[in-house]
Amino acid sequence: MIGQQLRFSFEFFPPKTDAGLEKFRVVRSQLAQLKPEFFSVTYGAGGSTRDTTLSTVLETQNHSGIATAPHLSSVGDTRDSLRQLLNQYKDEGINRIVALRGDLPSGMGATGELTYASDLVKFIREETGDHFQLEVAAYPEVHPQAVSADADLKAFKLKVDAGANSAITQYFFNIEAYHYFMDMCDKAAIDIPIYPGIMPITNFTNLARFSDNCGAEIPRWIRKRLEGYGDDIESIKQFGEEVITRLVETLIDNGAPGIHFYTMNQAKPILAIWDNLSLNELA
Ligand code: FAD
């Protein structure tokens, strides 16, 4: 792993309570010491975290001095409200965005004025030119609503052709899926950097629920071990740390251009992996 310069980024969600905000500030300052290229902050589809995403992004960039990217999802939003938000971000010195379609909570029927993330990327480029560095989502294990793996790859290419600069993958534990996906992207002449998104393992119930929703497969050997630990949180965390350390190490050894960590607003699992792999030498 010597001699590579890698891009690291850390994703947060906007804290919902005062206590969550206090805890988040501590986590953020711990992770800022790792000098990531950027932080990102998620956005609730339909604008449900519109204000808290905005305030978290601005506070994070201003306090940490690290570029901070809002996630922006188009589903349930109008062109006008998106335009307003884009202008606000631009005026506040934000120059990165993670552009997504988003998922509306069940029961919210409307899809908004822009149907797919590629429409959002196109819209952002039309409205703001090259001001923003745009990240989009990629799915090594195929997006759960995709008609087929090929159709999903075509949808990914549409986002690239619309002006995305780089991509972050949905999290995965199956490294072959990422490598196969990278080969398919090569064949499709998709040449933007694609950063593996990595989810630390700290809690089996939540992980199983997320993974079912977003189509990330938990391999049987991981699921069985996690199930076997029951309420033994310490063993889950220790096993999770080992699995994710190996995954990150293999990805980097095989040429991944960097890593995006889904932090779930926790620093400890990332700090442990960071130390295990001496990643500060590569950042
Ligand atoms: P798209 O790229 O639009 O794809 C959605 C589906 O439509 C896919 O099945 C695709 O194959 C299909 N499709 C796309 N274009 C076409 C087309 N032209 N014709 C036919 N089919 C098409 N969600 C949030 O709500 N907030 C967040 O902050 C957030 N952050 C995320 C960060 C990352 C790194 C990732 C990987 C995901 C994130 N998500 C977030 C989840 C994401 O919004 C969902 O996975 C959503 O279902 C799809 O978003 P997308 O941008 O990939 O959509």
Side-chain angles (χ1 to χ4, degrees):
M1 301 203 313
I2 304 295
Q4 303 171 54
Q5 198 69 32
L6 301 176
R7 186 189 97 171
F8 293 100
S9 50
F10 299 127
E11 175 174 320
F12 302 119
F13 57 83
K16 293 188 187 76
T17 61
D18 288 348
L21 180 59
E22 285 314 306
K23 184 179 159 250
F24 165 69
R25 286 176 175 149
V26 175
V27 165
R28 182 180 70 200
S29 75
Q30 287 172 312
L31 292 179
Q33 291 179 21
L34 307 183
K35 301 195 169 46
E37 185 155 320
F38 67 97
F39 288 134
S40 78
V41 181
T42 59
Y43 183 79
S48 59
T49 66
R50 193 184 179 83
D51 295 341
T52 47
T53 297
L54 175 70
S55 62
T56 307
V57 164
L58 298 185
E59 186 195 285
T60 297
Q61 177 155 301
N62 292 337
H63 279 247
S64 67
I66 290 170
T68 303
H71 293 207
L72 187 56
S73 72
S74 53
V75 68
D77 260 298
T78 61
R79 281 192 177 80
D80 266 353
S81 66
L82 291 167
R83 182 178 295 116
Q84 217 176 35
L85 205 46
L86 288 172
N87 287 334
Q88 214 163 351
Y89 281 130
K90 209 173 151 189
D91 292 346
E92 296 282 1
I94 300 297
N95 56 16
R96 284 177 173 273
I97 287 182
V98 182
L100 306 143
R101 183 199 68 176
D103 287 313
L104 277 184
S106 53
M108 276 179 82
T111 58
E113 294 178 0
L114 304 173
T115 310
Y116 297 113
S118 52
D119 302 322
L120 177 63
V121 171
K122 190 163 167 271
F123 178 74
I124 297 174
R125 287 291 178 234
E126 280 165 6
E127 292 289 321
T128 60
D130 287 336
H131 177 81
F132 292 105
Q133 157 95 18
L134 293 181
E135 309 277 335
V136 290
Y139 299 86
E141 293 183 303
V142 183
H143 186 266
Q145 292 157 4
V147 178
S148 67
D150 277 354
D152 207 30
L153 188 67
K154 282 191 184 127
F156 178 43
K157 188 160 167 43
L158 284 180
K159 297 192 272 195
V160 177
D161 292 345
N165 300 101
S166 41
I168 299 170
T169 73
Q170 182 57 274
Y171 69 86
F172 57 87
F173 303 109
N174 181 352
I175 201 160
E176 272 308 305
Y178 172 75
H179 288 142
Y180 191 78
F181 178 72
M182 295 302 287
D183 287 349
M184 291 303 104
C185 288
D186 239 17
K187 283 194 181 145
I190 293 172
D191 55 4
I192 59 168
I194 300 170
Y195 296 89
I198 295 295
M199 175 76 89
I201 299 174
T202 55
N203 173 315
F204 177 55
T205 317
N206 288 347
L207 184 71
R209 185 166 42 86
F210 282 150
S211 303
D212 284 348
N213 287 341
C214 71
E217 188 190 47
I218 306 178
R220 179 182 162 83
W221 67 278
I222 296 182
R223 187 181 277 273
K224 282 284 169 195
R225 284 191 179 269
L226 291 174
E227 276 170 358
Y229 292 130
D231 293 335
D232 180 358
I233 299 293
E234 273 319 302
S235 295
I236 292 177
K237 286 186 178 165
Q238 197 186 332
F239 173 67
E241 183 186 317
E242 279 171 34
V243 169
I244 299 301
T245 298
R246 283 175 191 219
L247 177 60
V248 171
E249 184 173 34
T250 312
L251 284 165
I252 292 175
D253 281 347
N254 284 293
I259 303 284
H260 178 81
F261 286 100
Y262 296 101
T263 72
M264 305 305 286
N265 290 11
Q266 293 183 45
K268 267 192 192 159
I270 314 284
L271 293 171
I273 295 161
W274 202 267
D275 271 359
N276 292 343
L277 295 174
S278 304
L279 291 180
N280 48 333
E281 290 163 23
L282 301 173

